Amino acid sequence: MPLLEVKDLSVRFTRREGAPVDAVRRVSFSLEAGRTLGIVGESGSGKSQTVMALLGLLAGNGQVSGEALYRGDNLLAMNEAALNRIRGDRIGMIFQDPMTSLNPFLTIERQMTETLQLHRKMSRREARRRAIEALESVRIPDAARRIGMYPHEFSGGMRQRGMIAMALLSEPEILIADEPTTALDVTVQAQIIELLRELNRERGIAIILITHDMGVVAGLCDDVMVMYAGQTVEQASAATLFAAPTHPYTRGQLNALPRLTDDSDDERPLQTIPGNPPLPGEAGAGCAFAPRCTYCSDACCESRPVLVATANDPQARRACHRPAAEILEAQHESGCGKSTLARAIIGLAPVASGSVRWLGNETVLPAGRRDTSRLRRDVQMIFQDPLASLDPRMTIEQIVAEPLVARGRQLARADVQRRGLTMLERVGLNAQHMRRYPHEFSGGQCQRVGIARALIGEPQLVICDEPVSALDVSIQAQIVNLLRDLQRELSLPLIFVAHDLAVVKAISHRVLVMYLGRVMEFGDKRDVYGMPHHPYTRALLSAVPVPDPAVERARRHLLLRGEIASPLNPPSGCAFRTRCPDALDACAAQIPPPVTHGSNATRVACIRVGDG
């Protein structure tokens, strides 16, 4: 008997106005003890709502139907008291954003011990001892001291590990991890993946992993369920799904991934899935993926396909009207100073020393003395959070035209509208979007609006601060392709700030690797990726997951120990030495200056460069 068996799970949300929204439709899956199930799909596909329904955590207007049998008992039919005896005890949950899931007014100790006191009836002293052991088990250093801290005193990676420790306190049989690596730096992500792998292997904990990162799925999951518009479109073992994906949506997700191991022409655009996923409740009676599918036929729009076994693997299932034979084809860490450097260049952050020269003129100087008038005309910035960087009270037309109006250009309203529409069309939007507000758009569309706003003033340099870090992989590919096309068409130089090295490889020509505000390595992309010299660069590249189970599970990852030091109290000498596997005593004596190494003049800040 499976540990958990879900049958025909559906979630519907009622609304005061309008028709109800069907967020999840007849989803079925099973989870056996000691196995890991990955649930993947774009934002809005119903992944999180599926597991929230299992634990009775839906919003008040949510209604659930179907069955969810945990050891034979239907979770969906239990009352609140019965559910409380299971969730947090037998079934643990790691929520997506640890900062918003942890109570900022309570210490980590208080939040951890209340779980043990509730479910295990432990004394406060015994609960504290067990909580410290749990923090140590997830490799939080100096756990006895840190347990008395508040959530804001933990780094992002430590908060995530703290959430995992809380979920493990009562030794659950099932651990649900909702996007546990989203927005984390690649090195912290590698630590979290390795930790989950150890929990699964050594403790036999069954894991449900919700993610849109197919590389994470390849390294961790035994089975995969792909969701789209609230429905399951494909289910298979990880080995089968990655080797021979049969549904067009699954193949589109895999093809859209930038890959470090891809040695083909870097100028080739990333493959994308056309259009955007429907909002919950918008999918029609037919196949929800039909409007975006290359293989769509009339039958796709007439009836909704059901999951059926595929010919090559009876255990694998997919939902598609087309025969499988027709669609099988050959086919720096946070806190390192990246964003601060970008903001300093444009004059949005104070400069303590040094200067920024633009076209030979010193535009940003230390001690607050600056002349940014020309800089603001010539240099524009695309910010990390597309929705937060757009004024919610302004229409898209007003947002895009704002740079023209702010600079006092004497343009007629008709000219402003014409230029705004031209720029929107250039980034893939149209006239119908001009009168809408930011909240009416998806994340990818909001990012396109931000790009249009940055480009309308015809800048000579654009700084992109993590422009794709929070986007689904298919939207990410669209934005990367758009930036590369604009770069070529307009001969536009870009400074692209990111912690996803696969994305950096897809768009960049030269790469600057930073750690704790200092340059570790700087050189041509092919040199930095093909023959990295600095141990930090090697660790970053090692931590990037490869979306191929056979390759990913055979790789040797260089996991960094400890946490990045505080910039308020940096270590002496080399900033990286406290986490460096190759550190010497001499590394603490002086800050190593970047020195030229190799035939292509790569600059590396490490005293051991050249040791072999």
Side-chain angles (χ1 to χ4, degrees):
M1 180 185 295
L3 189 60
L4 176 67
E5 188 169 11
V6 177
K7 302 177 182 178
D8 294 331
L9 175 69
S10 296
V11 176
R12 168 173 286 190
F13 291 98
T14 57
R15 297 188 293 176
R16 291 183 178 180
E17 298 179 1
V21 173
D22 292 315
V24 180
R25 306 179 184 185
R26 302 180 67 84
V27 168
S28 300
F29 63 89
S30 61
L31 179 67
E32 297 179 8
R35 291 184 71 82
T36 298
L37 168 69
I39 304 179
V40 300
E42 293 171 288
S43 298
S45 62
K47 307 184 300 294
S48 295
Q49 295 302 330
T50 298
V51 297
M52 290 294 189
L54 298 180
L55 299 180
L57 298 177
L58 292 175
N61 63 332
Q63 302 169 358
V64 60
S65 61
E67 285 187 325
L69 302 178
Y70 168 67
R71 292 197 173 278
D73 296 325
N74 187 5
L75 296 172
L76 306 184
M78 291 182 179
N79 57 33
E80 195 74 8
L83 264 179
N84 281 337
R85 289 193 290 269
I86 292 177
R87 60 188 178 192
D89 186 24
R90 299 294 83 205
I91 302 178
M93 178 94 180
I94 304 169
F95 294 95
Q96 180 171 353
D97 186 347
M99 194 58 190
T100 57
S101 302
L102 297 172
N103 191 326
F105 296 101
L106 300 179
T107 63
I108 299 298
E109 177 182 352
R110 176 74 180 276
Q111 297 182 64
M112 294 183 73
T113 55
E114 67 179 3
T115 299
L116 294 171
Q117 290 174 307
L118 174 65
H119 290 291
R120 292 291 181 265
K121 309 303 180 185
M122 290 183 180
S123 67
R124 185 173 180 180
R125 176 177 293 183
E126 179 65 14
R128 185 178 190 275
R129 182 190 63 79
R130 178 69 186 88
I132 292 173
E133 290 176 354
L135 291 178
E136 290 173 342
S137 72
V138 296
R139 295 192 291 276
I140 289 185
D142 198 8
R145 180 179 64 87
R146 292 183 183 274
I147 195 172
M149 294 181 174
Y150 289 86
H152 72 272
E153 298 179 272
F154 276 32
S155 68
M158 287 174 62
R159 282 195 293 267
Q160 194 64 282
R161 288 202 291 272
M163 285 288 296
I164 295 174
M166 290 183 192
L168 296 176
L169 279 173
S170 56
E171 301 179 352
E173 294 182 299
I174 299 175
L175 183 63
I176 300 174
D178 187 2
E179 298 278 9
T181 61
T182 297
L184 293 181
D185 300 309
V186 66
T187 53
V188 178
Q189 173 181 278
Q191 294 172 6
I192 298 300
I193 294 172
E194 182 61 27
L195 176 59
L196 292 174
R197 186 182 293 117
E198 289 177 5
L199 294 172
N200 176 248
R201 183 176 59 241
E202 297 175 5
R203 300 193 190 184
I205 296 176
I207 297 175
I208 297 178
L209 176 69
I210 299 172
T211 184
H212 60 253
D213 191 327
M214 299 297 278
V216 173
V217 171
L220 187 60
C221 296
D222 301 303
D223 307 291
V224 186
M225 181 173 76
V226 183
M227 293 186 67
Y228 182 81
Q231 301 170 257
T232 302
V233 296
E234 188 162 0
Q235 281 180 292
S237 68
T240 297
L241 186 130
F242 281 88
T246 58
H247 195 280
Y249 177 64
T250 309
R251 295 170 61 245
Q253 287 276 297
L254 291 171
N255 291 338
L257 289 170
R259 301 170 187 252
L260 286 177
T261 55
D262 188 357
D263 295 325
S264 59
D265 184 7
D266 288 327
E267 299 302 315
R268 183 186 64 186
L270 298 175
Q271 296 189 45
T272 63
I273 302 175
N276 292 298
L279 295 173
E282 285 187 344
C287 174
F289 189 60
R292 306 174 70 191
C293 182
T294 309
Y295 306 94
C296 182
S297 64
D298 291 340
C300 297
C301 301
E302 294 170 359
S303 63
R304 184 169 293 133
V306 296
L307 283 167
V308 296
T310 59
N312 58 331
D313 185 353
Q315 299 301 315
R317 301 187 298 162
R318 68 168 191 132
C320 186
H321 285 295
R322 300 282 287 187
E326 291 188 67
I327 63 174
L328 281 174
E329 300 176 356
Q331 289 274 307
H332 304 324
E333 291 185 301
S334 298
C336 287
K338 307 182 300 296
S339 296
T340 302
L341 174 62
R343 290 171 180 272
I345 290 174
I346 203 172
L348 295 178
V351 177
S353 62
S355 62
V356 175
R357 289 184 176 273
W358 175 244
L359 301 179
N361 298 313
E362 199 166 37
T363 56
V364 178
L365 304 97
R369 296 178 294 112
R370 61 187 66 189
D371 177 17
T372 59
S373 55
R374 179 171 182 179
L375 191 69
R376 293 288 172 83
R377 290 196 306 269
D378 294 345
V379 182
Q380 286 294 308
M381 191 162 185
I382 302 171
F383 295 92
Q384 179 173 355
D385 187 337
L387 191 58
S389 62
L390 304 179
D391 192 325
R393 299 166 296 181
M394 298 173 66
T395 64
I396 300 305
E397 178 184 0
Q398 293 170 326
I399 289 171
V400 174
E402 186 179 26
L404 299 178
V405 177
R407 293 173 191 172
R409 295 193 179 184
Q410 301 301 316
L411 295 174
R413 178 175 174 79
D415 290 335
V416 173
Q417 288 181 322
R418 177 183 54 79
R419 293 184 61 171
L421 177 58
T422 300
M423 189 53 62
L424 284 174
E425 289 175 340
R426 178 165 249 168
V427 298
L429 300 176
N430 55 53
Q432 295 179 350
H433 298 123
M434 296 184 72
R435 299 296 178 134
R436 297 183 184 180
Y437 290 86
H439 72 272
E440 299 179 78
F441 291 87
S442 67
Q445 289 173 319
C446 284
Q447 196 61 284
R448 289 172 182 268
V449 173
I451 294 171
R453 179 179 61 182
L455 295 180
I456 195 168
E458 301 177 352
Q460 299 185 48
L461 171 68
V462 174
I463 300 173
C464 309
D465 185 10
E466 298 273 14
V468 298
S469 64
L471 301 181
D472 296 311
V473 63
S474 57
I475 307 301
Q476 171 183 280
Q478 294 175 13
I479 298 301
V480 169
N481 287 341
L482 172 62
L483 288 172
R484 293 204 305 191
D485 291 343
L486 292 171
Q487 184 185 41
R488 284 192 293 265
E489 292 172 15
L490 306 176
S491 298
L492 183 68
L494 300 176
I495 296 177
F496 193 90
V497 178
H499 63 252
D500 188 329
L501 295 184
V503 172
V504 171
K505 182 175 186 291
I507 199 171
S508 65
H509 298 96
R510 291 190 296 166
V511 179
L512 177 71
V513 180
M514 294 184 65
Y515 185 84
L516 210 58
R518 297 190 180 278
V519 176
M520 299 290 108
E521 190 160 355
F522 178 47
D524 182 81
K525 171 177 63 177
R526 289 178 173 79
D527 293 326
V528 173
Y529 282 86
M531 185 79 63
H533 298 291
H534 199 282
Y536 181 56
T537 310
R538 292 196 294 268
L540 288 176
L541 293 172
S542 167
V544 178
V546 175
D548 184 326
V551 174
E552 176 62 18
R553 298 179 193 194
R555 294 174 70 209
R556 177 178 172 269
H557 294 280
L558 303 175
L559 297 179
L560 296 179
R561 63 178 186 266
E563 299 288 329
I564 185 170
S566 169
L568 297 176
N569 185 28
S572 62
C574 175
F576 183 60
R577 68 175 178 81
T578 56
R579 304 175 72 193
C580 181
D582 304 322
L584 303 172
D585 291 341
C587 296
Q590 62 177 355
I591 299 174
V595 295
T596 302
H597 184 78
S599 57
N600 291 326
T602 298
R603 296 179 64 77
V604 186
C606 180
I607 64 173
R608 299 200 63 172
V609 170
D611 288 355

